Amino acid sequence: MPYIGSEDTVRDLRRVLSNPNVQSDQLRYRNTILKVIRAMSQGVDVSGLFSEMVKACATVDIVQKKLVYVFLCSYATLNPELSLLVINTLRKDCQDPNPMVRSLALRNMTNLRLPSLVEYVEQPLTAGLRDRAACVRRVAVLGWAKLHNLQTNSEIDAAVVNELYSLLRDPDPVVMVNCLRALEEILREEGGVAINKPITHHLLNRLKECDIWGQCEVLRILQRYRPQSEDELFNILSLLDVSLISPHPPVMAATLSLFLSLCSGLPAVGLAALERVRGPLLAACGNTSREMQFTALCHIQLLLRSLPGLMGEHYKRFFCGYAEPAYIKQRKIEVLVELVNDDNVAILLDELRGYCTDVNISTAHAAISAIGRIGRSYSDKCLEILTELLGLKQEHITSAVVQTMRDLVWVCPQCSRTVCSAVEGCEAEIQDSQGRHALLWLLGVYGEQVSSVPYTLEVFIDGVRSEASVGVKMELLTATVRLFLCRPAETQDMLGRLLHYCIEEETNMCVSDQALLYYRLLHCGIEETRKVLQCRRSDPSLGVLIGRPAEPINQWSYIFNTLEPLRPGAIETDDALTASVSAPLSLSLSPALSPEEFEDLWLQQQCPTIFRCSPQSLQAAMQLVNIQTLAFTPPHTLPWRVYLYTNTQNKHSADTCHGTLILGELLVKKNTAEKGIKVTLKQQPRDEKALKGFLSVLTTVLHALSSE
Amino acid sequence: MSASAIFVLDLKGKVLICRNYKGDVDMAEIDHFMSLLMQHEEEGLICPVMAHGNVHFMWIKHSNLYLVATTNKNSNASLVYSFLYKLVEVFTEYFKELEEESIQDNFVVVYELLDELMDFGFPQTTDSKILQEYITQEGAKLEVAKTKVPTTVTNAVSWRSEGIKYKKNEVFIDVIESINSLDVTVNANGSVMSSDIVGSIKLKTMLSGMPELRLGLNDRVLFALTGRDKGKTVVMEDVKFHQCVRLSRFESDRTISFIPPDGESELMSYRINTHVKPLIWIESVIEKFSHSRVEIMVKAKGQFKKQSVANNVEVRVPVPSDADSPKFKTSTGHAKYVPEKNLVVWTIKSFPGGKEFLMRAHFGLPSVENDEAEGKPPITVKFEIPYFTVSGIQVRYMKIIEKSGYQALPWVRYITQSGDYQLRTNV
């Protein structure tokens, strides 16, 4: 309403509302109320009309009633006293012969959200539970939940709870489901509605009558049920089989979730269920709604954690369309990385290469880093693509490629030669600090292999005054010192200039402190510096096993079919991967696991025969007993070592999934002429019993292997 | 499921209408929605879930509206999205077109619908046919309220009211198939990457009383069951039925039997995942001579039966955004340059099967290069082929039985649409 301020509007409306002529003319009265509601939804504050609207509530016109109720529910909390006046009308309406009026009154009574009115509402609600019309019962049942929500600390009448339990047998499926929802809310402190055998079987039998919302609710609540026998369990599972392949994604997901919780003790059945939902899940990925597609993709990522091979042959379904939004493309790319195998790697990489030039920069970066991830197992092909991308001379692509190459080299040092020749001369295209950071790191570490490094660094050093990023400056320092160690003649002069600038002029504490540190270190002599800067953090011949172990289903089943998997980075596979990849370091340095909680135990075990077996068979044997081997040196090198880890689970405290973590190193030193293996174990938190148990398992495995 | 509140916002983020169902999330939280969305948009990372503190916004966009559900619990995301789409569906059925204007014109109905659709964060009655009986308002129509008890409250058939009467009893069956959007992708070296067909059977029922219908299709599983596996049959995947179809009967003997809802409804939808060869095959050669010109040659070939004709064929070929002075030559139809979309649109009114047509286009390019990175949009093709289904699905019979014993006429129509049919270019 232009040109009229809200105060004028309210004044005008009040005048019309209190005009007896208008009040007697039903149509005019209704139209005026319509205007009030319109003003309300346009954001005008019409709360001043509360008392007039309360009067308008007493009418036989159901249209007018509905309008007034909308108003009252919006403003009741501002006018608790005046709201008391409405209660009378509402209670009268609860006696109305028309069930629609009864349900309307009951619903709005509970929607006022005023604790002061609770005493007036209880009686009509109790009556509503026994109403003959289902629509009134539906409202009444939820009404109790709303009352409870209003005063959570007050005791709810046991009689009401009993009544609600008995209404689970109501002929109307919505009443039944609403009862579940209400009881769940009211009894939350006691852990929700009690799910026993009769209730479970009753709910399962009536599942088909419910609409999809109801089915999902029932399936969710049944997750708490623990079948008493295996027969019962399998009966339930076969009953639910139809829902498992339901065409409605929410029902399918809810059923799968129930399956997983029922079968938590039977992992094989759970895995079979995952196989069974493959079809419906793939269908959900082709849903017309992008949001549903997205949800399905996020959940597929969860499933792949336990069953990496689940979607292997259907990888084409995860190819991106041109017009798809970035959030779907990026999830699809993440899924594609998981699906790589020897057969499809060529097609997949070809497809991913297409995404690298996506208009959306973050999608392009996701595709580039995906290629890097695949490069951990198929480095030649991936490096070829990455090098080719550098040729495009696109700023953001070059930067992302260099970062990806840095990450790849870190894991697969054997790629360093290709990477070094590729990154030469691309410093001109990289503008952002992360990209330059990565480039400097590469130049520092592989300074010997790239001939032009001193010139590149010189450009950086000359421009250090205008450098804004602290990270780049620190990396530049490190890179220059590293280069100095291997090519002193070319670097000495510029290192001096850089140190001088950083110590004398740099205002950032971190940078100048690091410069001082290097300066003093150089004073101690070249050998000392070399020891600090060039010591290998891990054995260079130590190859990391690619690919994560399949997680048990209950690692993620509790967040399945919720909001959790949709959160950005919720199941960042990257995190998990880098964690396992950097594990060889954390075994010796353990930065990720707080050291003070670490208990080191050095133990020596004697093995009867010389330990000689292929890493594959060792890995397979270890996996049988749930020990994950993370990395080992190639066979026939000495000393030969293996790194491994496992978690012991405490059966008594099932709710806390943290058992104790054991990290271990097996070391074979033949040259000491000792026939034996040195076992080093680190444990967190300390648990003697678990450690002894672990050791006995380990020795059994080793004995079994060596006797073969 | 627990959605705490539902909001309908316009494109600027102004709340048009909202409903607070649970009262456990501050309604003012919605003010953060738009700024969050803008922030994500800037980063190029729009996501259908956004969080502000412990409040999560789950949203969908429909024409010029945002529909947002807020929650502070770890609720079931797929269910919330389904509900939001259900909202769109119900609103559309009421207002024909769901957009800002229709919300503003019908805010009373919207309030009423929101009230019936959900209570305390839980979906209640979502079937639009039943909802109609609860809703008193109908646009501008004002009459003294009916005090009739909704019949469906106690009705066994919740999707159909009793006492429907028509003078002429007819039912129209439309079998519509489309080659699903984005699924036909032909990669640069010319092989089909993946394709599937999405089909649906739509009904327009104009039948009196409570008729009992039976639909017969040439479904392969059925023919295998009855041992009459001859002639052309079709394997359907992902079959979805309207709630009126008796699923138990379909599972036992593949009979589709149902009491239809009145008026228009979608009886079933299905997906068929086969390698169909593209109905209209496109070969393109796009040669870009930097700083001077672009030459485009597109060949389209109808790879369907000679008797059939594709109508309203549109081939959209992307061109660089800085192209100018277009010149075209076509063997049939006509080509047009749409500079605002950077496309050449080649339209052919009727395209008989087995024929092959050619279009050549020539564009000039400025001598100063455009440095903005451009994606490689695919060539898209649109068409419609009447009296034809790709899958070969056929309605064998439709039996209509009503206790009054009237004669009713079933009409069947087939159509194949292109969906969003994409071919990647090699530029």
Side-chain angles (χ1 to χ4, degrees), chain A residues 148-444:
Chain A
H148 179 76
N149 209 27
L150 215 52
Q151 9 177 238
T152 30
N153 35 16
S154 74
E155 279 289 303
I156 222 134
D157 197 355
V160 173
V161 174
N162 282 339
E163 184 114 27
L164 287 176
Y165 269 115
S166 66
L167 276 176
L168 283 177
R169 314 233 163 224
D170 194 278
D172 184 79
V174 182
V175 174
M176 174 183 88
V177 176
N178 278 358
C179 271
L180 278 181
R181 292 160 169 162
L183 284 169
E184 196 69 359
E185 193 83 20
I186 293 168
L187 303 174
R188 185 181 299 153
E189 310 230 308
E190 299 161 35
V193 52
I195 294 294
N196 54 26
K197 193 169 169 181
I199 291 182
T200 307
H201 288 211
H202 168 71
L203 290 175
L204 284 172
N205 286 331
R206 297 197 51 190
L207 196 61
K208 277 193 177 160
E209 296 169 37
C210 304
D211 53 9
I212 62 160
W213 321 110
Q215 288 187 19
C216 293
E217 200 74 43
V218 170
L219 291 167
R220 186 181 64 83
I221 286 171
L222 286 182
Q223 283 182 25
R224 285 208 302 273
Y225 183 62
R226 291 281 158 264
Q228 284 149 2
S229 68
E230 212 152 89
D231 278 349
E232 191 193 354
L233 170 69
F234 284 110
N235 279 337
I236 295 177
L237 295 186
S238 53
L239 193 68
L240 286 174
D241 190 62
V242 186
S243 318
L244 192 60
I245 47 170
S246 158
H248 298 286
V251 176
M252 178 266 296
T255 318
L256 179 60
S257 196
L258 174 58
F259 257 71
L260 297 181
S261 78
L262 287 177
C263 308
S264 52
L266 301 162
V269 184
L271 290 177
L274 296 188
E275 297 272 1
R276 188 111 171 91
V277 295
R278 174 175 27 211
L281 262 176
L282 282 170
C285 287
N287 200 296
T288 43
S289 142
R290 282 168 173 173
E291 290 77 12
M292 294 296 273
Q293 274 184 36
F294 176 67
T295 316
L297 283 170
C298 296
H299 281 97
I300 283 179
Q301 280 187 289
L302 272 187
L303 301 193
L304 290 179
R305 280 162 62 173
S306 288
L307 210 55
L310 187 63
M311 301 288 176
E313 50 194 287
H314 300 278
Y315 63 95
K316 280 189 181 176
R317 292 274 191 120
F318 299 96
F319 283 179
C320 305
Y322 177 72
E324 276 173 0
Y327 58 85
I328 289 190
K329 283 189 186 172
Q330 286 168 24
R331 291 279 175 167
K332 279 191 172 171
I333 291 173
E334 282 173 26
V335 172
L336 283 175
V337 172
E338 304 288 319
L339 301 185
V340 171
N341 58 34
D342 291 347
D343 302 327
N344 60 22
V345 64
I347 303 174
L348 254 171
L349 283 174
D350 206 38
E351 184 72 16
L352 281 171
R353 183 198 347 230
Y355 307 152
C356 292
T357 46
D358 198 282
V359 190
N360 183 314
I361 292 181
S362 53
T363 307
H365 288 188
I368 293 168
S369 77
I371 292 179
R373 291 250 302 282
I374 296 173
R376 289 169 188 176
S377 0
Y378 301 94
S379 50
D380 292 348
K381 288 174 195 154
C382 293
L383 278 172
E384 197 181 302
I385 294 179
L386 290 174
T387 316
E388 206 182 290
L389 287 171
L390 285 177
L392 292 176
K393 304 231 175 269
Q394 291 258 358
E395 204 180 300
H396 73 92
I397 292 179
T398 308
S399 160
V401 169
V402 170
Q403 290 174 53
T404 306
M405 284 181 161
R406 172 199 56 192
D407 297 343
L408 186 60
V409 164
W410 179 252
V411 183
C412 313
Q414 70 272 18
C415 311
S416 63
R417 190 165 298 279
T418 328
V419 168
C420 286
S421 60
V423 296
E424 208 171 339
C426 65
E427 66 277 353
E429 269 112 49
I430 305 178
Q431 297 300 323
D432 64 316
S433 55
Q434 277 169 317
R436 279 181 298 165
H437 196 287
L439 180 69
L440 283 172
W441 185 86
L442 282 170
L443 295 182

Side-chain angles (χ1 to χ4, degrees), chain B residues 365-378:
Chain B
L365 281 180
S367 50
V368 184
E369 187 135 2
N370 185 3
D371 0 287
E372 263 174 63
E374 282 178 34
K376 278 190 252 167

Side-chain angles (χ1 to χ4, degrees), chain B residues 37-83:
Chain B
L37 191 66
M38 307 274 263
Q39 188 193 327
H40 283 269
E41 200 165 1
E42 245 163 56
E43 292 162 10
L45 287 168
I46 290 195
C47 182
V49 192
M50 299 191 298
H52 182 263
N54 61 350
V55 180
H56 280 81
F57 301 106
M58 279 175 264
W59 60 280
I60 63 171
K61 194 179 171 197
H62 184 88
S63 65
N64 54 359
L65 295 172
Y66 292 111
L67 283 88
V68 188
T70 55
T71 181
N72 59 359
K73 300 212 165 62
N74 190 9
S75 44
N76 183 337
S78 63
L79 215 50
V80 176
Y81 290 129
S82 306
F83 182 77

Side-chain angles (χ1 to χ4, degrees), chain A residues 30 62-63 66 291 317, chain B residues 85 112 119 137 142 145 273:
Chain A
R30 194 202 283 177
I62 191 165
V63 181
K66 278 199 175 184
E291 290 77 12
R317 292 274 191 120
Chain B
Y85 275 99
E112 276 197 58
D119 197 8
Q137 291 277 348
L142 280 171
N273 194 305

Side-chain angles (χ1 to χ4, degrees), chain B residues 257-405:
Chain B
S257 86
F258 56 99
I259 297 173
D262 192 40
E264 288 179 35
S265 58
E266 187 181 83
L267 182 69
M268 63 184 284
S269 64
Y270 55 89
R271 172 200 291 269
I272 298 171
N273 194 305
T274 51
H275 272 263
V276 272
K277 58 177 181 198
L279 293 175
I280 292 188
W281 175 260
I282 300 285
E283 273 172 49
S284 69
V285 181
I286 303 180
E287 280 177 295
K288 192 170 168 183
F289 303 93
S290 275
H291 313 301
S292 69
R293 65 188 201 278
V294 182
E295 303 271 4
I296 298 169
M297 195 277 291
V298 178
K299 195 160 75 177
K301 191 179 174 196
Q303 304 194 111
F304 46 92
K305 277 188 232 150
K306 288 213 168 60
Q307 307 91 292
S308 295
V309 174
N311 291 337
N312 303 324
V313 179
E314 246 185 48
V315 183
R316 295 158 170 260
V317 186
V319 291
S321 58
D322 49 1
D324 55 43
S325 49
K327 271 178 225 144
F328 303 110
K329 217 195 247 168
T330 57
S331 59
T332 189
H334 73 278
K336 206 175 86 184
Y337 176 42
V338 190
E340 63 271 23
K341 287 181 182 152
N342 302 321
L343 284 177
V344 174
V345 181
W346 176 24
T347 24
I348 303 161
K349 276 274 167 276
S350 90
F351 194 134
K355 284 272 177 355
E356 200 176 289
F357 298 116
L358 204 70
M359 191 239 342
R360 285 178 190 280
H362 173 105
F363 284 91
L365 281 180
S367 50
V368 184
E369 187 135 2
N370 185 3
D371 0 287
E372 263 174 63
E374 282 178 34
K376 278 190 252 167
I379 295 179
T380 52
V381 186
K382 284 189 180 166
F383 57 84
E384 249 182 35
I385 307 175
Y387 317 114
F388 171 78
T389 52
V390 212
S391 65
I393 198 166
Q394 272 172 12
V395 175
R396 288 275 158 97
Y397 60 84
M398 165 72 104
K399 284 184 186 146
I400 303 159
I401 304 150
E402 217 276 335
K403 51 179 185 287
S404 67

Side-chain angles (χ1 to χ4, degrees), chain A residues 215 238 245 318 324 426 437 476 512 544 567 641 652 657 694:
Chain A
Q215 288 187 19
S238 53
I245 47 170
F318 299 96
E324 276 173 0
C426 65
H437 196 287
L476 180 61
S512 62
V544 174
R567 289 189 209 217
R641 54 181 108 187
H652 304 293
C657 52
F694 171 76

Side-chain angles (χ1 to χ4, degrees), chain B residues 218-288:
Chain B
N218 57 341
D219 169 12
R220 186 182 294 166
V221 183
L222 170 65
F223 284 88
L225 268 180
T226 51
R228 292 183 296 162
D229 195 0
K230 47 190 159 184
K232 206 176 175 207
T233 52
V234 175
V235 191
M236 296 187 287
E237 286 173 30
D238 275 350
V239 189
K240 265 186 225 188
F241 286 111
H242 187 275
Q243 66 175 122
C244 65
V245 177
R246 292 187 189 91
L247 288 176
S248 50
R249 285 206 59 186
F250 182 75
E251 270 147 34
S252 63
D253 58 4
R254 304 290 277 195
T255 317
I256 303 171
S257 86
F258 56 99
I259 297 173
D262 192 40
E264 288 179 35
S265 58
E266 187 181 83
L267 182 69
M268 63 184 284
S269 64
Y270 55 89
R271 172 200 291 269
I272 298 171
N273 194 305
T274 51
H275 272 263
V276 272
K277 58 177 181 198
L279 293 175
I280 292 188
W281 175 260
I282 300 285
E283 273 172 49
S284 69
V285 181
I286 303 180
E287 280 177 295
K288 192 170 168 183

